[in-house]
Amino acid sequence: MYSIIAIDISGRHKINNRYYMVCAAVSMLITADHIEKVNQVKVKPFWLDSAPGLTDIIQVIEDTAKEIEFEGTIITEHGEMYNQPERVVASMFPCDFKYQESLGERRAIELAHHISLCARNLLVKEIGIEC
């Protein structure tokens, strides 16, 4: 088993001339093909005035992941980082980073995706944002 922090961001589209995004960071222990244990979940909303670029996304991830009490490699999908090469993105993080490869990592990102999407939908509804 190894420790990871799976990341997903939902909502990279414009709403009322701003971008409302929700980042989910999920700390867990995984094997090559399973999630063994979820340690902690953090969800954090962000408003951006302009379309998010790579450095914005990295800042969103760092701001969310720093609230996780457990250590682990940050795992995302390629598309989360605009399909930039892993070495480029990894050099921008102060901690370990990699793209998902194994089935266990894929399942972890799927869990983070469900959390970020559901949290964003709930928050949009609760604060009354017209999409």
Side-chain angles (χ1 to χ4, degrees), residues 11 19-23 44-48 59-61 63-64:
Y19 294 81
Y20 185 62
M21 303 184 305
V22 173
C23 181
K44 195 165 185 164
F46 295 88
W47 277 107
L48 296 177
Q59 190 63 56
V60 164
I61 291 170
D63 288 349
T64 306

Side-chain angles (χ1 to χ4, degrees), residues 24-130:
V26 185
S27 169
M28 57 187 96
L29 294 173
I30 66 169
T31 62
D33 60 349
H34 285 83
I35 296 170
E36 295 293 326
K37 179 181 179 186
V38 174
N39 295 317
Q40 188 177 8
V41 175
K42 285 292 181 181
V43 176
K44 195 165 185 164
F46 295 88
W47 277 107
L48 296 177
D49 292 325
S50 58
L54 181 60
T55 55
D56 298 315
I57 296 303
I58 288 171
Q59 190 63 56
V60 164
I61 291 170
E62 285 181 354
D63 288 349
T64 306
K66 73 181 177 187
E67 296 184 12
I68 296 285
E69 296 172 11
F70 298 88
E71 302 224 354
T73 301
I74 291 178
I75 308 281
T76 69
E77 295 177 315
H78 288 82
E80 201 74 72
M81 301 298 183
Y82 302 108
N83 295 314
Q84 292 295 311
E86 185 175 302
R87 63 180 169 71
V88 171
V89 177
S91 71
M92 300 172 85
F93 276 99
C95 55
D96 291 336
F97 169 86
K98 72 185 238 39
Y99 288 132
Q100 64 93 19
E101 296 172 352
S102 70
L103 181 56
E105 292 167 350
R106 177 73 222 149
R107 287 179 173 162
I109 289 173
E110 286 174 354
L111 176 60
H113 172 73
H114 288 296
I115 292 168
S116 70
L117 181 60
C118 291
R120 184 179 184 280
N121 289 342
L122 177 64
L123 290 169
V124 163
K125 181 178 175 182
E126 289 300 311
I127 59 179
I129 299 173
E130 294 292 326

